[in-house]
Amino acid sequence: MLTHLCAPGFMFLLGMGVVYFGRSRSKLGWSSWQMTRHFAIRAFVLAAVNEILFTLPFGRGRLIVLNIILLALAVNYLIAGLVWLAVNASENALSRLLDSYHSSPGDDDDAGRPLLQDETAQSFTKSDTIWATRWSWHIHNVVLLALTIITIAWNSWLSPHHGHCPLDTPPSYTGPTQPRSTTLGPWFDFWFLSVHYQRVISPFPPLAWLSPAILGLVYGRIILSRKWRAYTINAGNALFGVLLMIFFVLTRILHFGNLSEDCLRMSEQLASTGKNQYLASFRSFLYISKYPPSFAYMTLTMSINFLLLAFFGAMPEKVARRIPTLLTFGQSALFFYILHLMLYFCMAILVKHWFGRELDHIDPMTGKPAIGTEGQPAVMWITWLVGLAILWPLCRWYAKFKSTKGANSVWRFF
């Protein structure tokens, strides 16, 4: 469950970061073209890092794309940046249009007609401009929220069986058996479905993960719209987290927004045939589809993420600074993510050599029986803590290093 929070959290913070970046660069006088160039370069760098550090070494010459999420981050960063620029431009245009319409004197109102030409300009009052700006801002937020819903709903719409498993699924099966392709071809599937081809492996289809990035745009716009009290922000985060949790519960009860309908074949489902599969047990209730993400998955994970935002937001800064690694990893999050993948991959070789045993499933990368430490939680926890201890000084150094670089430096991308 904890790892489920990461990917939507990445995308959400990506969208929020775009708003913060755009606002700060606008104050520095950057043009839309300069920001577009920055978004494109950063997306290219992320895609290049994915290819150089992961596809080439782990693909072993067999793969041309191994998308472990960085490629999805690259694509959605570029899309989120372009959407923010488009919204920023159209918001100003709509504000001017509403201002002009709301402020123009009525053609049939002789008493309201200006006697002098100068009085026409004076009719555009400050209150009219504020009214138009507010309405334009709200309208664009509604549009972005609609896009947030559409871009998660299309994962169900585009699913070959619309989120349902065939009724002849073998009884012994314990999870969803969704087809991994559509009739629209592999190029289309790459963007919307988790795919495993001979030369391309992509469990994180870029456009299937666009929804939390757009939600991040909305959140960033709201946070920067005015000077909020910390209490208000924390209360808002907690309230929205609870609202999303209610939506998740409804997906279980009302059977909507899931990509695993009629898919669970565990003992509790077999013992309660014909009943709601998600209410058969606690683990069934929490069963969610991540590859690609369903609406149920997104509401549950983002609910927890918003509750965590409220929790950490309420934490005094002095307390946060006393928690080992918390701020250090947060100030170099992408660097930490890339480095931790390579470090734990190398550590896994040693751990599996010393403590591993053959498991009852096939390793998709080698085609041979998988080797792991299943059933040995102490090994996992110790490996995790040792890895964090190695990563902490490296991330601390990198955070200081990138702080010395200019606003345009590629090192600040990480």
Side-chain angles (χ1 to χ4, degrees):
M1 176 59 71
L2 289 178
T3 59
H4 277 359
L5 306 180
C6 298
F10 284 164
M11 296 297 176
F12 174 77
L13 293 176
L14 175 152
M16 186 173 69
V18 164
V19 179
Y20 276 77
F21 172 85
R23 178 68 63 88
S24 67
R25 293 307 184 269
S26 295
K27 291 181 179 179
L28 293 176
W30 280 32
S31 65
S32 296
W33 164 246
Q34 286 176 298
M35 289 191 227
T36 301
R37 180 175 177 273
H38 171 90
F39 294 140
I41 291 175
R42 187 167 191 178
F44 174 80
V45 169
L46 286 172
V49 167
N50 182 80
E51 290 300 295
I52 295 171
L53 296 184
F54 299 107
T55 300
L56 292 180
F58 299 143
R60 303 170 187 174
R62 297 187 297 108
L63 300 175
I64 57 175
V65 174
L66 174 60
N67 172 29
I68 55 174
I69 200 174
L70 287 181
L71 189 58
L73 283 171
V75 171
N76 289 336
Y77 182 78
L78 178 59
I79 293 175
L82 295 178
V83 168
W84 182 83
L85 288 172
V87 166
N88 200 42
S90 63
E91 184 178 354
N92 292 332
L94 179 59
S95 178
R96 290 192 296 270
L97 179 63
L98 292 174
D99 192 4
S100 174
Y101 174 79
H102 187 254
S103 304
S104 297
D107 291 339
D108 298 328
D109 186 4
D110 292 333
R113 293 181 185 275
L115 299 178
L116 299 174
Q117 184 66 28
D118 289 344
E119 294 181 29
T120 304
Q122 294 174 4
S123 67
F124 291 89
T125 64
K126 184 177 181 180
S127 61
D128 292 330
T129 301
I130 294 174
W131 175 90
T133 301
R134 286 177 177 173
W135 269 100
S136 181
W137 183 80
H138 285 298
I139 290 171
H140 281 79
N141 284 344
V142 170
V143 171
L144 287 173
L145 282 175
L147 284 176
T148 300
I149 296 172
I150 291 171
T151 52
I152 191 62
W154 67 29
N155 291 344
S156 296
W157 300 338
L158 297 173
S159 170
H161 287 172
H162 302 292
H164 288 260
C165 287
L167 295 178
D168 58 352
T169 302
S172 60
Y173 196 72
T174 59
T177 174
Q178 292 289 338
R180 293 299 184 186
S181 61
T182 67
T183 58
L184 300 176
W187 174 251
F188 178 88
D189 294 347
F190 172 81
W191 297 101
F192 292 98
L193 299 177
S194 299
V195 297
H196 191 153
Y197 300 132
Q198 184 176 1
R199 305 281 286 174
V200 176
I201 296 178
S202 175
F204 292 94
L207 296 185
W209 288 91
L210 183 57
S211 177
I214 298 179
L215 181 61
L217 292 178
V218 180
Y219 184 83
R221 281 167 54 85
I222 293 173
I223 294 297
L224 293 181
S225 65
R226 54 176 290 186
K227 188 174 180 62
W228 299 93
R229 294 173 56 194
Y231 171 82
T232 304
I233 294 177
N234 296 331
N237 287 334
L239 180 62
F240 193 61
V242 171
L243 180 63
L244 288 175
M245 185 62 72
I246 292 173
F247 273 112
F248 169 70
V249 172
L250 291 176
T251 67
R252 310 280 91 173
I253 297 174
L254 302 180
H255 292 280
F256 74 93
N258 301 296
L259 283 172
S260 53
E261 292 291 340
D262 304 317
C263 296
L264 298 185
R265 296 292 188 272
M266 295 181 285
S267 58
E268 49 263 48
Q269 278 77 38
L270 298 178
S272 55
T273 306
K275 296 183 180 180
N276 189 327
Q277 64 171 3
Y278 299 115
L279 303 182
S281 66
F282 183 67
R283 64 172 179 170
S284 301
F285 185 78
L286 293 180
Y287 188 91
I288 47 179
S289 174
K290 182 180 180 180
Y291 305 104
S294 63
F295 179 79
Y297 168 90
M298 205 63 71
T299 52
L300 175 60
T301 56
M302 287 308 299
S303 169
I304 298 173
N305 280 332
F306 270 98
L307 293 175
L308 287 174
L309 274 177
F311 173 77
F312 286 113
M315 184 182 295
E317 184 177 350
K318 292 182 180 180
V319 176
R321 290 188 179 278
R322 292 175 183 173
I323 299 178
T325 74
L326 184 63
L327 292 180
T328 300
F329 291 152
Q331 291 170 347
S332 53
L334 188 55
F335 177 79
F336 166 82
Y337 175 76
I338 294 172
L339 204 59
H340 102 283
L341 286 176
M342 295 187 289
L343 173 64
Y344 283 116
F345 179 85
C346 295
M347 292 178 68
I349 296 174
L350 298 176
V351 171
K352 288 192 291 186
H353 176 73
W354 293 329
F355 305 102
R357 61 181 179 82
E358 188 173 300
L359 304 179
D360 59 357
H361 63 270
I362 301 299
D363 186 335
M365 295 298 295
T366 64
K368 300 178 181 179
I371 305 295
T373 59
E374 186 176 313
Q376 304 177 69
V379 174
M380 184 272 291
W381 286 108
I382 292 173
T383 303
W384 176 65
L385 290 173
V386 170
L388 291 182
I390 297 172
L391 290 167
W392 180 72
L394 296 175
C395 290
R396 186 179 182 184
W397 164 81
Y398 188 79
K400 292 181 178 179
F401 167 75
K402 74 172 185 177
S403 67
T404 64
K405 302 302 176 182
N408 294 328
S409 173
V410 70
W411 296 109
R412 298 184 71 90
F413 290 175
F414 302 94

